[in-house]
């Protein structure tokens, strides 16, 4: 994947309303783009934060409704977290990778390793009774990206790509960046092994995390606090590689030196 003509533009989609369970995300995004004078074109990439998809899918849990298990209570004591919240985290996880006071790193059931298995309080309003609740990742972020791409392609008649993103921390580095948890219509991972570099040497190990790079670029426009810009249009990229899903970005466990 490369920039067509050496430049790429990133544009936040304005006017996206607060999303409620049952909303048609494709229709909401398409209407907002048309209202702003934007239309999707062939080769466009639309990066969408998972939160609006999760909200439409009603992926909420009210913390006080959850009964913690003995394992959740044990982990809550070790981390200082609420036991019911820990139970929700465990319900979304395949494995607890690491923990310390204030932090639990889990392998989400999708295979992505992240803090709290993606369970999040930020930008999540209370329910109608005023009870605190958390938001989970989409039921299947990859399937959500495929469905959203299909609906938008039909609406605009364009061959586009859709990335569903989240923000995560990284081993050895401070700060969060964007992460692709669903990729449709573009190569999530670009394999450059066998290509020749400028000195005539064959590349042996180089792979490019295209999905994560695009999610991170979009994150700069989306923001992390109260910006309210959950979708970003990226324009100006070209690629020859076949599309690949977000799962291509997950390192095999036997190659993972951080576990």
């Amino acid at each position: 994947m490369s920039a067509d003509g050496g430049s790429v533009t990133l544009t936040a989609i304005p006017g996206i309303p607060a999303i409620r369970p049952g909303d048609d995300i494709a229709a909401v995004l398409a209407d907002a783009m048309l209202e702003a004078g934007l239309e999707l074109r062939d080769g466009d990439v639309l990066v969408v934060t998972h939160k609006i998809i999760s909200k439409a899918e009603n992926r909420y849990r009210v913390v006080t409704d959850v009964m913690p298990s003995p394992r959740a209570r044990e982990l809550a004591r070790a981390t200082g977290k609420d036991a019911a919240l820990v139970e929700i985290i465990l319900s979304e996880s395949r494995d607890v990778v690491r923990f310390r006071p204030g932090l639990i790193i889990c392998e989400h059931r999708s295979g992505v390793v992240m803090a709290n298995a993606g369970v999040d309080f930020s930008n999540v309003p209370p329910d109608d009774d005023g009870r605190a609740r958390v938001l989970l990742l989409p039921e299947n972020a990859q399937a959500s990206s495929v469905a959203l791409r299909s609906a938008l392609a039909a609406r605009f008649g364009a061959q586009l790509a859709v990335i569903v993103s989240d923000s995560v921390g990284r081993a050895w580095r401070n700060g969060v960046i964007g992460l692709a948890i669903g990729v449709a219509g573009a190569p999530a991972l670009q394999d450059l092994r066998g290509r020749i570099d400028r000195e005539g040497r064959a590349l042996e190990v180089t792979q490019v995390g295209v999905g994560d790079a695009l999610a991170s670029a979009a994150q700069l426009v989306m923001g992390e606090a109260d910006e309210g810009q959950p979708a970003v249009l990226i324009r100006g990229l070209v690629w020859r590689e076949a599309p690949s899903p977000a799962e291509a970005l997950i390192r095999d466990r036997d190659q993972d030196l951080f576990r």
Side-chain angles (χ1 to χ4, degrees), residues 142-166:
Q142 180 61 34
S144 295
S145 70
V146 171
L148 182 56
R149 176 180 181 265
S150 177
L152 290 172
R155 177 80 178 262
F156 289 97
Q159 294 301 311
L160 68 144
V162 168
I163 294 175
V164 176
S165 70
D166 194 6

Side-chain angles (χ1 to χ4, degrees), residues 191-197 201-207:
D191 192 348
L192 300 182
R193 291 174 296 183
R195 293 268 295 272
I196 305 301
D197 70 11
R201 291 186 291 267
L203 300 177
E204 297 181 359
V205 298
T206 303
Q207 296 176 299

Side-chain angles (χ1 to χ4, degrees), residues 77-148:
R77 287 191 293 270
T79 61
K81 288 183 173 292
D82 179 84
L85 175 62
V86 173
E87 182 63 35
I88 297 171
I89 293 169
L90 292 177
S91 73
E92 288 290 291
S93 303
R94 287 181 182 172
D95 187 29
V96 175
V97 178
R98 296 283 189 277
F99 63 88
R100 62 165 172 75
L103 179 66
I104 304 175
I105 303 296
C106 298
E107 179 183 348
H108 183 264
R109 53 189 171 73
S110 66
V112 179
V113 176
M114 54 175 52
N116 300 328
V119 177
D120 198 356
F121 274 107
S122 64
N123 290 314
V124 179
D127 71 1
D128 292 339
D129 295 323
R131 298 180 300 172
R133 55 184 180 174
V134 293
L135 190 67
L136 315 182
L137 294 185
E139 184 66 36
N140 184 326
Q142 180 61 34
S144 295
S145 70
V146 171
L148 182 56

Side-chain angles (χ1 to χ4, degrees), residues 44-64:
D44 283 349
V45 180
L46 188 67
V47 182
V48 179
T49 177
H50 85 85
K51 284 192 174 179
I52 63 171
I53 294 174
S54 292
K55 289 177 179 180
E57 293 181 359
N58 198 24
R59 295 283 289 154
Y60 292 104
R61 295 288 299 277
V62 175
V63 178
T64 54

Side-chain angles (χ1 to χ4, degrees), residues 158-179:
Q159 294 301 311
L160 68 144
V162 168
I163 294 175
V164 176
S165 70
D166 194 6
S167 56
V168 297
R170 301 154 294 161
W172 310 126
R173 305 286 285 182
N174 290 322
V176 297
I177 62 172
L179 185 81

Side-chain angles (χ1 to χ4, degrees), residues 1 187-193 195 203 205-214 241 244 248-249:
M1 181 175 284
L189 186 70
Q190 183 181 27
D191 192 348
L192 300 182
R193 291 174 296 183
R195 293 268 295 272
L203 300 177
V205 298
T206 303
Q207 296 176 299
V208 180
V210 171
D212 289 345
L214 294 176
E241 298 84 4
S244 56
L249 293 161

